[in-house]
Amino acid sequence: MRSRHIWCVILTAAIGISAGCGDGDTEPATRAIDAAALDSGNYATVPRDIEASRTETSGARQEAIRIGNATPLPADVDGKFAFKTSIYWDRRITPGDPTALPSLNTRDFNDLTPGFIAGWYSRGQRREQVGLGTGLDLYTLRFENSALAQAAAARIADRQQESSPGESIKIPERPDARAKWNPKSRYLDSQLVDGPMLLLVHVDDPVSEPVDTARLVDLTQQTFTKLIEGLKGYTPTPVDQLRSLPLDVDGLLSRTLPLDDQGKPTDRGDLSMALPRQAALHTDHYPTLTKAAFDDAGVDLVAFSGGQLYRTRDTKSPERLIAAFIDQEAKGYKAIDSPPHMPGVKCFDTKDSKTSKDRYSPVCYFGYDRYAARVQTSSVQQLYQRTAAQYKLLAYGH
């Protein structure tokens, strides 16, 4: 699957991307799929007005994305943290979307963080399976000012100590940080304030014998350095301007298949979003591999909703991005037929019924112009209709 030439031949012939495999300039892509012949069921096929979905939490959620786009990946701190665990993509934290901090639960969050505006969460692991290697959790939380961030840091550290007592540890290069080592649970929790940003780092090591706490302290120091460096690229939006932050970028989200009721896993409403490149990488199961694929394809924007759309640099790049995604997931999937009247669209079903159906649910990929589409759902019949609807959304008006 790694051969660029093979994939170029397959996708060019099947999806109709013309002259996309040679060097130099090419004509605009042509498309062999007849949208009128596709069965899209009752799924949306007309772009929607994303601004119509704006709520009171929308501005803070968009600010969270801006923070996420300036936050380094755990793999940016250390390339060994090459895996992410959770299936769902949303990493945003707001007062309306609180998170469970280490040793604490979600109900504690807003009580401990007066003045909190928005933030981002990311996790990386050294092994794909939980509990088989060191894990690194990052929380980048923005407050109204530094004083409120300092107060929240103290409250969080005190509550963590009450909930899960541990030993105070110094972070040599960050004397203003507060850190606690829990030898029973084998993790190090640290807090550092940088202006209005509260940076929380959680490192757990469930397997080393004995645990090298000096290594975990050094990793925490590296993480704080990377976080502060990355967040220099973030300029806080004034609180009174949060509502002006756009919900869509270049109309990409409006042309992404909307979430249906089954695709909304929480009571937080529609969590559809468009993410710039760095923020999108935080959501990926294999962030290091996907970062390389993004670099190769020139991905700069990703939309997440009932499907996923990736905007690449040109009409030749979607095929390579799709090939990279298929390579990453090959161990969990078996190839199945394309949807009716959609020759060349690459579709897969769960290879082994014993594996997680959430992790390896039926999926289809296709390219359209400079966009790569990924559609995933619980049944093949539903998948085919949703893939047809996603194609019609991209083809609408063309």
Side-chain angles (χ1 to χ4, degrees):
M1 289 190 225
R2 297 179 186 274
S3 169
R4 179 182 182 277
H5 175 71
I6 291 173
W7 273 103
C8 201
V9 170
I10 291 172
L11 291 176
T12 299
I15 302 178
I17 299 176
S18 66
C21 305
D23 297 324
D25 295 334
T26 64
E27 294 296 321
T30 59
R31 301 165 187 90
I33 293 175
D34 179 6
L38 303 182
D39 175 14
S40 53
N42 295 319
Y43 294 106
T45 58
V46 175
R48 64 199 189 276
D49 179 8
I50 300 301
E51 281 297 324
S53 67
R54 184 178 289 275
T55 67
E56 292 183 0
T57 64
S58 295
R61 286 177 174 178
Q62 293 306 110
E63 186 72 357
I65 291 171
R66 298 183 68 248
I67 294 169
N69 201 47
T71 299
L73 302 165
D76 292 333
V77 177
D78 187 328
K80 295 185 178 69
F81 294 101
F83 303 98
K84 179 188 80 74
T85 51
S86 61
I87 301 295
Y88 205 63
W89 60 71
D90 199 5
R91 309 282 91 196
R92 297 171 295 183
I93 309 170
T94 74
D97 311 303
T99 189
L101 298 174
S103 303
L104 306 176
N105 58 49
T106 305
R107 295 187 304 275
D108 293 322
F109 186 86
N110 286 338
D111 290 341
L112 299 173
T113 58
F116 171 65
I117 294 172
W120 191 261
Y121 164 66
S122 188
R123 177 174 173 84
Q125 296 180 178
R126 293 195 61 177
R127 300 287 183 270
E128 187 163 9
Q129 289 182 280
V130 178
L132 297 184
T134 306
L136 176 61
D137 295 84
L138 317 177
Y139 301 82
T140 46
L141 309 178
R142 176 198 162 185
F143 288 77
E144 293 176 15
N145 54 54
S146 179
L148 289 169
Q150 291 281 3
R155 279 191 292 268
I156 290 169
D158 289 344
R159 186 72 64 85
Q160 286 177 328
Q161 178 67 10
E162 293 174 9
S163 174
S164 182
E167 307 163 2
S168 178
I169 278 191
K170 297 292 185 182
I171 307 296
E173 295 179 9
R174 301 291 175 183
D176 48 344
R178 179 171 170 178
K180 178 200 70 174
W181 164 247
N182 186 313
K184 182 178 179 180
S185 298
R186 304 163 67 96
Y187 54 68
L188 177 65
D189 282 317
S190 307
Q191 298 88 19
L192 178 68
V193 173
D194 180 45
M197 303 298 298
L198 169 55
L199 313 178
L200 305 179
V201 176
H202 174 88
V203 185
D204 59 80
D205 185 350
V207 295
S208 298
E209 291 294 349
V211 178
D212 182 1
T213 55
R215 178 178 66 86
L216 303 186
V217 168
D218 184 59
L219 176 60
T220 299
Q221 291 185 149
Q222 294 178 48
T223 303
F224 281 140
T225 298
K226 280 285 188 179
L227 285 170
I228 291 171
E229 178 183 316
L231 288 166
K232 289 178 181 177
Y234 163 67
T235 302
T237 304
V239 175
D240 62 356
Q241 296 178 26
L242 290 177
R243 289 185 61 83
S244 67
L245 293 174
L247 303 187
D248 199 0
V249 178
D250 297 338
L252 187 65
L253 190 55
S254 72
R255 288 183 179 264
T256 309
L257 190 69
L259 281 168
D260 55 24
D261 290 340
Q262 291 181 341
K264 298 175 183 176
T266 72
D267 59 358
R268 293 163 55 197
D270 190 343
L271 300 180
S272 302
M273 56 184 163
L275 300 180
R277 177 184 180 279
Q278 177 72 6
L281 286 170
H282 283 276
T283 74
D284 200 87
H285 194 80
Y286 302 108
T288 302
L289 294 176
T290 299
K291 183 176 183 179
F294 278 14
D295 288 344
D296 176 62
V299 173
D300 66 346
L301 187 64
V302 183
F304 294 84
S305 193
Q308 294 172 29
L309 291 186
Y310 302 82
R311 188 172 70 181
T312 70
R313 76 166 58 85
D314 54 39
T315 59
K316 298 182 290 184
S317 297
E319 67 193 60
R320 300 196 305 275
L321 183 64
I322 290 169
F325 286 154
I326 292 172
D327 245 5
Q328 290 179 18
E329 304 288 2
K331 69 180 180 181
Y333 280 119
K334 60 183 179 182
I336 59 175
D337 291 340
S338 303
H341 308 294
M342 300 189 76
V345 173
K346 312 303 292 185
C347 297
F348 301 85
D349 198 357
T350 312
K351 181 184 292 185
D352 184 351
S353 60
K354 296 179 182 177
T355 61
S356 168
K357 196 69 174 178
D358 289 331
R359 177 74 177 84
Y360 294 106
S361 57
V363 63
C364 286
Y365 301 90
F366 69 85
Y368 183 97
D369 196 65
R370 59 184 288 209
Y371 304 99
R374 175 178 181 157
V375 181
Q376 194 165 15
T377 190
S378 58
S379 72
V380 172
Q381 179 182 3
Q382 189 180 56
L383 174 68
Y384 285 173
Q385 290 184 335
R386 288 166 64 91
T387 301
Q390 179 59 83
Y391 185 89
K392 289 180 179 180
L393 279 165
L394 279 172
Y396 184 83
H398 291 239

